[in-house]
Amino acid sequence: VAPPPPVLDPSGSYAVVALTNHLPAYGRTAEGAPDRPWVRLHTTRDYITQTRLLAASDAKLVLSFSASLLARIGEAVAGNIDQAAIVTAKRATELTAEDRAYIDEVFFTASPDQIERFPRYRDIAERRRSGRSLTSSEYRDLQVLFNLSWTSPLLLQEEPLLSLAAKGRNFSEDDKVTLLEVHAATMAEFLESLVELEQQGKLDVATAPLYNPTLPFLIRNRMDEDAVNHISRGAAAASAVLGISIEGFAPHDGLIDQANAESVAAAGFKWAILAAEEPTQPIRLTAEAGELLALPADGTFAERLATEYYEMDPNAAALDAVRYIEGVVAEDAGRVITLHADGTEPWSRYEDSGVAFLESLLRQLSSASSFSP
């Protein structure tokens, strides 16, 4: 069991709350553009929500991003936009049959809540489901509404998107330009906010193997070299995008064992979040490259976030999470509990993409009296 760092009160209790944000490496078009928009859209809906709410709170979080995801965001900021953005930018009257087929395939990929939020989007979706073809004006509205539905409510409360969302239909070609400009600026803001929040001590950024394979699987199947490559290349790629040294290692599935400790420590990581059936105190894994502080994480929070909290009042759901932490730390003084959950997929089920829940959770974490975040 690892003693608490000297900056922490050894008699105090602490909660490490981590959201792991990982996406697969999607394919590319013949021209080299990402063929799916999910890196951009999860950034403009989910990831910017996390950093903005954290910046406005007194709480502390761990946010983990796979290195390949950070690299794709950096690539988009540098100008290599995805195919959906390219097709959105096209004038609706100039869409080719191939463009329309792409829009029909991709631009209805949204949750029922996302579609219902905009009556015009719902009407177009119903028209398409009935087998009827869309007019140029309907395609233009669809180009805007699909991207709006994947935009954080925090951004929709600000101009210029506030007016755009209120307009609701009959969008212009200039409206599309405005929307795509906001998305581009949001992605750049997100990367900058990770660095700023880390420097302010409000955030610990963690990363994962480059393409996030299940490490124990590689070890068990004698693919040790692959595991080492994914870990070391992931560390280098994530640091290159953000321009800072990243000390935290938090793979999406949390699966890591003593066999990986050497590779993780050798890549420069100082701590790692692991999956665990029950919350336990941090432990130190010893490797030739140095010690690795391992934080075994309880999966209860992840399960409730994905299956229960979206049906509850946001404040009640956040209170449930905090009371769970309080119940664990009440068992003995000096307790450290680590919770981790998927920070990308659950939010489509939440009416407001999880904004109210996250805002309440951060507020209640920072004001808790029995533990510190």
Side-chain angles (χ1 to χ4, degrees):
V1 175
V7 295
L8 299 182
D9 179 0
S11 64
S13 295
Y14 300 89
V16 177
V17 180
L19 296 178
T20 55
N21 296 295
H22 301 157
L23 290 174
Y26 298 100
R28 296 181 183 274
T29 65
E31 293 75 25
D35 63 0
R36 290 296 183 267
W38 311 125
V39 168
R40 170 173 59 90
L41 297 182
H42 279 294
T43 303
T44 57
R45 189 192 69 175
D46 305 320
Y47 307 153
I48 194 65
T49 294
Q50 293 167 21
T51 55
R52 281 200 174 190
L53 290 180
L54 182 58
S57 78
D58 295 322
K60 296 181 180 180
L61 281 182
V62 171
L63 295 179
S64 176
F65 298 90
S66 57
S68 56
L69 170 57
L70 288 175
R72 284 290 179 97
I73 297 173
E75 180 182 316
V77 172
N80 188 19
I81 61 175
D82 57 83
Q83 182 64 17
I86 293 171
V87 172
T88 296
K90 280 194 174 184
R91 299 184 67 85
T93 55
E94 298 176 0
L95 292 171
T96 65
E98 184 180 6
D99 294 331
R100 293 190 175 208
Y102 179 89
I103 290 174
D104 291 343
E105 177 187 359
V106 175
F107 281 42
F108 294 104
T109 308
S111 71
D113 282 338
Q114 288 174 275
I115 294 175
E116 289 292 330
R117 200 173 301 151
F118 300 97
R120 174 67 164 167
Y121 195 3
R122 181 195 60 220
D123 293 345
I124 294 173
E126 290 176 352
R127 181 181 180 91
R128 196 68 190 86
R129 279 194 294 268
S130 69
R132 291 178 290 175
S133 58
L134 302 181
T135 65
S136 293
S137 62
E138 287 172 326
Y139 270 113
R140 185 183 301 108
D141 283 356
L142 179 58
Q143 287 170 309
V144 174
L145 291 168
F146 168 67
N147 288 281
L148 271 183
S149 75
W150 277 94
T151 302
S152 170
L154 298 178
L155 297 173
L156 297 182
Q157 295 167 8
E158 303 173 350
E159 294 294 359
L161 297 191
L162 178 63
S163 297
L164 204 60
K167 188 175 182 180
R169 62 177 61 229
N170 299 325
F171 297 106
S172 67
E173 294 296 333
D174 287 340
D175 290 334
K176 294 192 298 181
V177 173
T178 297
L179 177 55
L180 290 175
E181 286 178 345
V182 171
H183 275 205
T186 299
M187 298 184 79
E189 176 194 334
F190 165 71
L191 291 181
E192 293 171 0
S193 66
L194 289 182
V195 178
E196 292 172 358
L197 290 168
E198 172 94 25
Q199 293 172 343
Q200 293 168 9
K202 302 183 71 170
L203 169 67
D204 279 302
V205 179
T207 190
L210 183 59
Y211 292 109
N212 212 31
T214 301
L215 295 176
F217 172 83
L218 296 182
I219 299 296
R220 285 196 303 271
N221 288 275
R222 300 182 180 181
M223 292 185 281
D224 303 49
E225 186 175 344
D226 283 350
V228 172
N229 282 337
H230 275 283
I231 293 169
S232 60
R233 291 174 62 197
S239 294
V241 173
L242 298 179
I244 60 175
S245 176
I246 298 177
E247 296 186 349
F249 186 75
H252 174 69
D253 50 22
L255 296 178
I256 192 176
D257 54 26
Q258 179 67 53
N260 305 126
E262 178 64 40
S263 299
V264 174
F269 295 111
K270 305 299 183 185
W271 54 271
I273 293 178
L274 322 180
E277 293 184 3
E278 296 182 0
T280 63
Q281 290 290 77
I283 58 175
R284 292 196 186 278
L285 301 179
T286 303
E288 290 184 9
E291 287 188 333
L292 186 70
L293 179 65
L295 302 167
D298 177 10
T300 302
F301 175 63
E303 181 179 351
R304 293 180 181 176
L305 184 70
T307 63
E308 297 178 28
Y309 287 162
Y310 67 91
E311 296 180 320
M312 298 171 61
D313 172 81
N315 291 316
L319 180 60
D320 179 82
V322 171
R323 283 183 172 167
Y324 180 77
I325 296 172
E326 291 174 336
V328 173
V329 301
E331 296 177 7
D332 57 89
R335 185 85 179 196
V336 177
I337 177 174
T338 302
L339 305 178
H340 80 143
D342 185 347
T344 296
E345 296 302 330
W347 310 121
S348 292
R349 298 182 177 183
Y350 287 70
E351 184 177 355
D352 61 349
S353 302
V355 170
F357 168 76
L358 282 173
E359 188 173 33
S360 182
L361 177 65
L362 291 171
R363 183 174 63 253
Q364 295 191 51
L365 286 173
S366 63
S367 62
S369 58
S370 60
F371 67 89
S372 299

